Amino acid sequence: MDQYRINHLKELEAESIYVIREVAAQFENPVMLFSGGKDSIVMFHLARKAFWPAKVPFPLMHIDTGHNFPEALEYRDRLMEETGTKCIVALVQDSIDQGRVVEERGVNASRNKLQTTTLLDAIEGNKFDAAMGGGRRDEEKARAKERFFSHRDEFGQWDPKNQRPELWNIFNGRKNMGEHFRVFPISNWTEMDVWQYIYMEKIELPSLYFTHKREVFNRDGVWLAKLPFMQLKDNEVVETKDVRCRTIGDVTCTGLTLSTANSLEDIIHEVASTRTTERGGRADDKRSESAMEDRKREGYF
Amino acid sequence: MSGKESGYLDMELLRFTTAGSVDDGKSTLIGRLLYDSKAIFEDQMEAIERVSERSGHEEVNLALLTDGLRSEREQGITIDVAYRYFATPKRKFIIADTPGHIQYTRNMVTGASTANVALILVDARHGVLEQTLRHAYIASLLQIPHVIFCINKMDLVDYKQEVFDKIKSDIDAVASKLSVKDIRFVPISALKGDNVVERSGSMDWYDGPTLMYLLENIHISSDVNHDDFRFPVQYVIRPQSAEWPDYRGYAGRIASGVIKLGDEVSVLPSGFSSKVKTIDMMEESLEEGFAPQSVSITLEDDIDISRGDMLVKKNNGAEPKNSQDIEAMVCWFNDRKLMPRGKYVIKHTSADARCMVTDIQYKMNINTLEKNEEDKEVGMNDIARIKIRSTKPLFFDSYSRNRITGSLILVDEATNETVAAGMII
């Protein structure tokens, strides 16, 4: 029966497409979160496959901290135009202006945590009942316990002890008024799977993922990009290095990798031999042992 | 791409579940598999070194790699199914790591539902315990095709063959009551690494494979049912665009079997039939589709088909049962007990219906494998045989024949919680 065998990437793809279709079928007003990072790019690619030749039957939404790599925004706008997809942009700056959140101060100030409020407000304001995200279980230990269909109460909070068991491929998206679900279609993918899939499917990525020369500085062992809104400490020196992004997020907490990888083959090779996790460069996770767990409880991605 | 990288593109996916109690060394075994296959990164290792030091452990506690949530770390227990990933050049592995306490049967059932293989840990010093039986029974109930008993802590019994042989024959005696297709035994020491990834130098009497060899080589592709074509319709794709004015695709994941262009299919429940026109996966048009692919199928004729309907192939052996009455073994997942004659929502493939539990036939004592026909109170973690009547007919197979069309869940209408998992008899 070996003729009826598919490789691990095809099987992951089939599972993710199944989950995305299930969201479209079970919810009235779903949305797919899009950051411009490789995971959300792959998720959106899977969504296009799931509904081809129809358009994706839900909008995308970008929670924009205002601290972006310009290349990521260009990529986003071009992709939306080429695929005829609507993308809602919810600005953290608006949440600050409305007094919903207060900007952090100091050199380590980041808008990463503030995004949670913007996200929850946008979900409520648009009456979304399901928000798909590109979170993967291999990223972080609190994520390892996440469901595909993750139930959130009326405050958008995650209660890890009160999640519904998920068996076989039956997903229970029933909920009360005001509650919503977060859905993670690529839960079972690893960083390597994502890269291999991008290679297999020839998916175009923002140039940031490939090596480029950039002004950077080192903070606590992490290379950060020197962009206008970044504050430097006295002892920090701006240098020009060959770097690439391993993840793309808010600039203030996205660590860059020193790398000369300029093709997917190079990147896959680099990922295969790397000895730190991709979130190892994320300052947001270094804040404490259970930083991710705490943020997830509050309603983070 | 050549060499190593292109090889990675041709890996097979294997899902396994692990069962064992806190002291069986399950977390250590998983830590060992992750560590020896280099799935642990330096920053993760540093993080657990920091925590080990802070909690006063002398050695780095590999088990910490699998403890996710703060409350778990504080209490030193695992409260929920956690998923772990590692890969070798041959296979990508997904581990559903489930805790082994009695109160967590629900987690074990959950982890087992999608597993190709179950690893059941047995402490060589203690031999077969009640919980070993419980784990074996659940593996059998959930029809996991392959079960590997890992006789762990062989280092603490001087690597003696008699200890291993005794446990093996004790399990064999019980296995006759169970329905597991393939049972294996491996003597290991997760702590020392004997027979996990590397062959042990201390057990010359064992000439079987290491655990990793089994995980990499156990034949799983024939475990999928490729005989009966079952296609629960999940979603109907209708672009209604200028380019695709008449496209009507039935989207879903092939639950079992094989379908080819031109095959005659019938639609349940309407009974109408037609022929397969295309099998689509985006621009790629397939000659044939098979489980577990997600595809979109178009038919020669315009028929009214919607979510919850099922396509089956004509002249393809037995059709699925088509009935409102279902008998199933259920595992109960909720503090609210099963209400006799209670009403629930039943979810089965892509269909939803309301249903009533019409009879509780017996409760299973999973420690002794005896049926209890007297006590019919079904609460959290209980396993029982029940009869259900649904408000509309469902199309199903027995779970032993088909894990997808033979499985269901019950949802409490008041709380929307998933209260039971069912295996159709």
Side-chain angles (χ1 to χ4, degrees):
Chain A
M1 283 295 184
D2 276 2
Q3 69 190 98
Y4 298 126
R5 210 181 88 178
I6 51 179
N7 74 18
H8 67 297
L9 299 173
K10 287 284 181 193
E11 188 162 346
L12 291 171
E13 176 191 65
E15 176 180 83
S16 301
I17 288 175
Y18 176 83
V19 172
I20 293 169
R21 285 171 172 167
E22 207 55 21
V23 171
Q26 288 198 33
F27 296 93
E28 280 171 21
N29 193 19
V31 66
M32 180 171 272
L33 301 173
F34 187 82
S35 68
K38 65 179 192 314
D39 296 329
S40 57
I41 290 168
V42 163
M43 180 169 63
F44 177 58
H45 179 82
L46 292 163
R48 289 177 61 207
K49 279 200 156 186
F51 303 104
W52 183 93
K55 282 186 183 171
V56 173
F58 39 75
L60 302 197
M61 183 160 75
H62 180 208
I63 305 301
D64 185 346
T65 62
H67 294 164
N68 299 297
F69 290 101
E71 296 89 335
L73 293 187
E74 284 158 25
Y75 177 91
R76 177 194 75 191
D77 294 342
R78 189 158 38 85
L79 185 64
M80 295 310 117
E81 201 189 310
E82 280 172 10
T83 57
T85 312
K86 183 183 167 197
C87 183
I88 298 163
V89 179
L91 299 168
V92 172
Q93 186 63 50
D94 286 350
S95 304
I96 294 170
D97 295 345
Q98 292 156 10
R100 301 275 296 126
V101 292
V102 178
E103 182 118 57
E104 293 182 6
R105 290 167 191 276
V107 286
N108 282 320
S110 165
R111 290 181 168 181
N112 190 282
K113 194 170 179 323
L114 310 187
Q115 293 179 95
T116 302
T117 302
T118 311
L119 172 63
L120 291 174
D121 287 353
I123 287 173
E124 202 180 316
N126 289 287
K127 295 194 165 52
F128 291 127
D129 53 0
M132 285 171 269
R136 308 189 324 262
R137 288 170 178 156
D138 83 319
E139 277 180 80
E140 208 279 335
K141 57 193 175 222
R143 289 213 191 275
K145 310 229 157 171
E146 188 55 281
R147 301 291 194 270
F148 277 96
F149 274 43
S150 178
H151 179 257
R152 302 303 159 105
D153 66 15
E154 56 190 319
F155 299 101
Q157 297 183 106
W158 181 60
D159 178 1
K161 284 189 180 171
N162 190 25
Q163 290 295 314
R164 297 172 183 174
E166 281 179 349
L167 297 104
W168 304 290
N169 59 352
I170 310 178
F171 296 102
N172 174 6
R174 296 174 67 96
K175 60 184 180 342
N176 291 318
M177 284 287 286
E179 298 174 345
H180 76 275
F181 272 81
R182 297 293 172 81
V183 179
F184 301 100
I186 61 165
S187 286
N188 276 333
W189 298 51
T190 62
E191 184 188 16
M192 185 55 126
D193 297 328
V194 169
W195 283 113
Q196 288 176 340
Y197 186 75
I198 289 168
Y199 177 78
M200 186 176 87
E201 294 284 296
K202 302 182 175 62
I203 300 172
E204 200 200 323
L205 290 182
S207 56
L208 293 163
Y209 280 111
F210 302 96
T211 187
H212 56 283
K213 290 211 185 300
R214 179 180 287 279
E215 289 194 320
V216 294
F217 62 96
N218 197 298
R219 177 174 296 166
D220 304 328
V222 178
W223 290 100
L224 294 170
K226 173 71 184 93
L227 285 173
F229 41 80
M230 296 294 278
Q231 296 181 43
L232 263 64
K233 293 182 192 168
D234 291 342
N235 62 342
E236 288 168 346
V237 186
V238 175
E239 302 165 67
T240 300
K241 295 267 183 196
D242 291 311
V243 293
R244 65 174 202 88
C245 290
R246 204 167 157 197
T247 68
I248 292 180
D250 183 282
V251 174
T252 59
C253 57
T254 299
L256 300 160
T257 306
L258 297 181
S259 166
T260 55
N262 62 9
S263 66
L264 289 171
E265 288 92 331
D266 288 352
I267 291 174
I268 290 176
H269 196 77
E270 193 179 284
V271 171
S273 54
T274 301
R275 299 303 303 144
T276 57
T277 62
E278 56 187 321
R279 297 197 76 91
R282 295 285 287 249
D284 46 335
D285 288 338
K286 288 205 164 172
R287 291 192 168 191
S288 87
E289 174 70 19
S290 42
M292 175 66 89
E293 182 181 343
D294 295 341
R295 277 179 295 150
K296 278 182 67 66
R297 279 177 188 272
E298 290 163 10
Y300 189 70
F301 298 99
Chain B
M1 199 183 296
S2 63
K4 213 177 168 192
E5 288 82 23
S6 61
Y8 285 144
L9 295 178
D10 195 26
M11 284 152 44
E12 202 176 11
L13 180 61
L14 182 135
R15 299 170 200 253
F16 68 94
T17 181
T18 55
S21 83
V22 190
D23 306 320
D24 285 340
K26 181 167 62 71
S27 298
T28 311
L29 176 65
I30 292 171
R32 168 67 60 190
L33 286 169
L34 298 178
Y35 188 74
D36 284 1
S37 63
K38 304 194 169 45
I40 293 173
F41 294 107
E42 276 171 9
D43 52 332
Q44 288 175 315
M45 201 63 196
E46 281 165 19
I48 68 160
E49 277 168 8
R50 274 202 306 274
V51 176
S52 298
E53 208 179 286
R54 215 182 302 150
S55 4
H57 295 294
E58 281 182 11
E59 288 172 65
V60 174
N61 187 354
L62 281 181
L64 285 173
L65 282 167
T66 61
D67 290 340
L69 305 171
R70 180 163 37 196
S71 45
E72 297 175 315
R73 288 195 299 277
E74 283 163 6
Q75 295 164 40
I77 53 153
T78 317
I79 54 175
D80 202 356
V81 186
Y83 295 88
R84 316 281 165 201
Y85 304 84
F86 69 99
T88 67
K90 275 196 162 162
R91 279 181 176 168
K92 171 195 164 85
F93 297 95
I94 301 178
I95 314 177
D97 179 16
T98 64
H101 312 268
I102 182 158
Q103 62 268 44
Y104 296 118
T105 298
R106 109 176 193 168
N107 293 329
M108 236 159 64
V109 168
T110 302
S113 70
T114 50
N116 308 101
V117 174
L119 298 192
I120 299 178
L121 272 98
V122 181
D123 187 324
R125 293 169 304 171
H126 305 142
V128 176
L129 302 174
E130 216 172 67
Q131 61 151 355
T132 316
L133 290 182
R134 200 157 66 222
H135 297 156
Y137 175 72
I138 290 172
S140 150
L141 183 69
L142 273 290
Q143 292 283 306
I144 301 179
H146 312 273
V147 177
I148 305 173
F149 287 91
C150 299
I151 318 303
N152 191 23
K153 306 198 182 181
M154 287 300 293
D155 53 316
L156 298 182
V157 295
D158 299 327
Y159 297 107
K160 278 196 197 121
Q161 183 177 5
E162 303 90 85
V163 177
F164 175 74
D165 286 346
K166 169 79 169 58
I167 295 173
K168 184 172 179 295
S169 71
D170 287 351
I171 292 172
D172 276 334
V174 184
S176 58
K177 291 189 202 166
L178 304 170
S179 63
V180 179
K181 290 179 198 143
D182 178 24
I183 297 182
R184 315 283 181 111
F185 300 87
V186 187
I188 65 168
S189 165
L191 189 70
K192 310 274 182 194
D194 293 281
N195 289 338
V196 179
V197 175
E198 304 294 330
R199 176 157 282 284
S200 171
S202 313
M203 291 180 272
D204 293 340
W205 48 266
Y206 175 74
D207 55 9
T210 61
L211 177 59
M212 184 64 100
Y213 182 89
L214 275 180
L215 290 174
E216 281 192 311
N217 293 287
I218 260 182
H219 194 67
I220 53 169
S221 56
S222 54
D223 296 337
V224 179
N225 176 334
H226 287 304
D227 299 327
D228 318 318
F229 177 70
R230 304 282 187 259
F231 187 74
V233 175
Q234 202 187 352
Y235 189 89
V236 181
I237 298 175
R238 297 199 62 194
Q240 294 172 301
S241 59
E243 199 186 343
W244 302 93
D246 300 317
Y247 187 94
R248 184 192 275 265
Y250 305 107
R253 196 168 187 191
I254 301 172
S256 58
V258 179
I259 190 80
K260 293 187 175 67
L261 295 182
D263 276 349
E264 252 192 284
V265 291
S266 48
V267 184
L268 300 173
S270 71
F272 289 123
S273 57
S274 184
K275 280 186 179 161
V276 174
K277 189 169 154 192
T278 61
I279 305 167
D280 299 321
M281 282 176 85
M282 212 155 172
E283 276 93 352
E284 200 180 346
S285 210
L286 307 176
E287 290 284 316
E288 63 180 352
F290 52 90
Q293 290 175 329
S294 280
V295 295
S296 165
I297 294 177
T298 63
L299 301 178
E300 295 286 357
D301 307 280
D302 262 337
I303 309 176
D304 184 25
I305 301 176
S306 50
R307 178 176 166 87
D309 293 352
M310 186 184 281
L311 302 185
V312 298
K313 198 155 69 177
K314 284 205 155 179
N315 310 315
N316 181 215
E319 290 214 342
K321 275 171 235 159
N322 179 349
S323 171
Q324 285 173 261
D325 291 297
I326 298 168
E327 280 189 50
M329 295 297 292
V330 292
C331 178
W332 201 254
F333 284 166
N334 205 268
D335 287 325
R336 279 158 61 104
K337 290 185 166 47
L338 189 162
M339 295 171 286
R341 303 203 65 76
K343 294 186 180 67
Y344 297 94
V345 171
I346 182 170
K347 285 178 79 76
H348 168 260
T349 66
S350 55
D352 277 23
R354 296 182 73 217
C355 72
M356 184 197 275
V357 176
T358 51
D359 189 26
I360 299 169
Q361 289 157 289
Y362 59 82
K363 223 163 89 171
M364 195 73 191
N365 181 332
I366 58 171
N367 296 323
T368 59
L369 305 188
E370 281 163 0
K371 295 168 186 171
N372 186 339
E373 292 176 14
E374 308 302 317
D375 172 17
K376 294 192 174 174
E377 222 178 65
V378 179
M380 178 73 109
N381 293 311
D382 283 340
I383 289 170
R385 180 164 168 160
I386 65 169
K387 286 185 181 172
I388 301 166
R389 183 165 175 85
S390 69
T391 49
K392 65 175 191 189
L394 298 173
F395 326 111
F396 55 88
D397 296 282
S398 68
Y399 185 78
S400 58
R401 184 153 182 96
N402 198 316
R403 281 172 98 180
I404 300 297
T405 58
S407 54
L408 58 89
I409 63 169
L410 297 181
V411 177
D412 188 318
E413 284 189 300
T415 63
N416 292 324
E417 289 173 321
T418 301
V419 292
M423 279 76 42
I424 298 171
I425 290 163

